[in-house]
Amino acid sequence: MTSTGMSTPDEAKGQARLSINEATVKYATVPQVVQLCRDAGIESVGLWRENVADFGLEASAKLVSEAGLRVSSLCRGGFFTAVDPDARAEALASNRAAIDEAAALGAPTLVLVAGGLADGDKDLAATRERARQAIADLVPYAQAKGVNLSIEPMHPIFAADRGVVSTLGQALDIAETFSERLSDGRPVVSVVVDTYHVFWDPYLAEQIARAGELGMIASYQVGDWQLPLASDTLLSRGYMGDGAIDFETITRQVMDAGYTGDIEVEIFGQEIWDDEPADVIATLADRFSRLVAPFC
């Protein structure tokens, strides 16, 4: 910001990229989230399949479009690491439905969380390969529907139960095995950079640069790593500035890698969920304006 307290043109441009991921205001419905964004002057929203299903796919697409909002992503697909053939087939069917939903919503990407180890299994490498094979099965369908699939690496603390893809490098290793492109030139398979999940990685800078060279950053999500960890570690995210993450450095790296899309604030935290949604939006918009937008 300038000495007068006014935003510079670059900062204002960065602020316009703010997107609210629905998970941040967990208990709000799709209409409520859309209204919150409109009231706050936010132009983009990241939707979740469960909320869209509750309100209706066609109704959600119409509401978002008529409100003049962009859909930054649809969360989420994935969870396809099962060994059992029936469970695997069910997961693939669910992911094809998710691709259909992303296409109907005009979402530029469907976020994929790989899934964890099967019961009794301890082979992380083999489980990651099953995830890659599942993505391979989905690629022709996604390409036909014009939907990008973005692999989200998760912090290693979740490797056993949620995400065996733990680093941006591992996500890129999978994505790079696919050469298919969408009609607009984007890769069919890309990656998500989520600060909460990847901030700790000593190779993060080089992997962000690698993702940029490949044109494979499909989504950038921000949320802080907050201590002490909650008893449910998934709920240990906080507002930007309340934790350990250096948003200036990571945001600059992602921008330098050529990312031009929306930036989602995605926070899982019970105290934030229990707060008034309008207050949550106001707080995160302020934090975004100071800690992320100036570096876009």
Side-chain angles (χ1 to χ4, degrees), residues 29-31 49-61 63-64:
T29 65
V30 170
R49 296 184 66 197
E50 296 89 339
N51 291 0
V52 169
D54 286 343
F55 186 62
L57 176 60
E58 184 176 340
S60 296
L63 180 67
V64 172

Side-chain angles (χ1 to χ4, degrees), residues 249-261:
T249 296
I250 298 176
T251 300
R252 288 189 187 278
Q253 290 168 350
V254 172
M255 298 306 114
D256 287 346
Y259 182 69
T260 59

Side-chain angles (χ1 to χ4, degrees), residues 55-289:
F55 186 62
L57 176 60
E58 184 176 340
S60 296
K62 182 179 180 181
L63 180 67
V64 172
S65 176
E66 290 181 347
L69 300 181
R70 301 183 298 275
V71 178
S72 51
S73 74
L74 179 65
C75 292
R76 64 185 183 246
F79 288 92
F80 35 38
T81 55
V83 176
D84 177 74
D86 290 339
R88 183 179 187 279
E90 183 178 350
L92 289 172
S94 176
N95 276 271
R96 291 188 185 97
I99 290 168
D100 289 339
E101 294 158 18
L105 292 164
T109 190
L110 172 67
V111 175
L112 303 181
V113 173
L117 293 167
D119 289 345
D121 192 4
K122 298 180 181 180
D123 192 335
L124 287 167
T127 305
R128 278 193 291 272
E129 175 56 22
R130 286 199 300 277
R132 192 200 69 79
Q133 291 172 354
I135 293 170
D137 287 343
L138 294 170
V139 160
Y141 194 78
Q143 186 176 32
K145 295 291 184 175
V147 173
N148 169 269
L149 306 174
S150 54
I151 305 165
E152 180 173 12
M154 299 193 77
H155 191 282
I157 201 170
F158 303 112
D161 64 340
R162 291 179 177 273
V164 293
V165 178
S166 299
T167 69
L168 189 58
Q170 289 172 347
L172 286 167
D173 288 345
I174 293 173
E176 203 172 4
T177 65
F178 303 101
S179 59
E180 292 85 351
R181 297 269 169 172
L182 299 173
S183 60
D184 60 9
R186 291 181 298 149
V188 176
V189 183
S190 300
V191 298
V192 180
V193 178
D194 183 329
T195 58
Y196 174 82
H197 288 302
V198 301
F199 81 97
W200 59 274
D201 187 348
Y203 303 104
L204 181 60
E206 64 188 64
Q207 293 303 324
I208 289 174
R210 174 188 171 196
E213 290 171 1
L214 294 168
M216 284 186 172
I217 302 178
S219 179
Y220 180 41
Q221 297 179 335
V222 294
D224 218 334
W225 180 275
Q226 193 165 350
L227 297 174
L229 294 178
S231 56
D232 181 352
T233 51
L234 190 65
L235 307 187
S236 295
R237 300 192 196 199
Y239 290 117
M240 296 82 74
D242 285 353
I245 296 177
D246 179 355
F247 291 98
E248 176 179 352
T249 296
I250 298 176
T251 300
R252 288 189 187 278
Q253 290 168 350
V254 172
M255 298 306 114
D256 287 346
Y259 182 69
T260 59
D262 293 313
I263 302 171
E264 292 185 9
V265 177
E266 184 186 55
I267 299 174
F268 290 70
Q270 193 62 55
E271 289 186 6
I272 292 173
W273 288 345
D274 290 339
D275 200 357
E276 285 294 329
D279 294 339
V280 171
I281 299 296
T283 299
L284 66 83
D286 172 67
R287 300 295 183 89
F288 187 90
S289 72

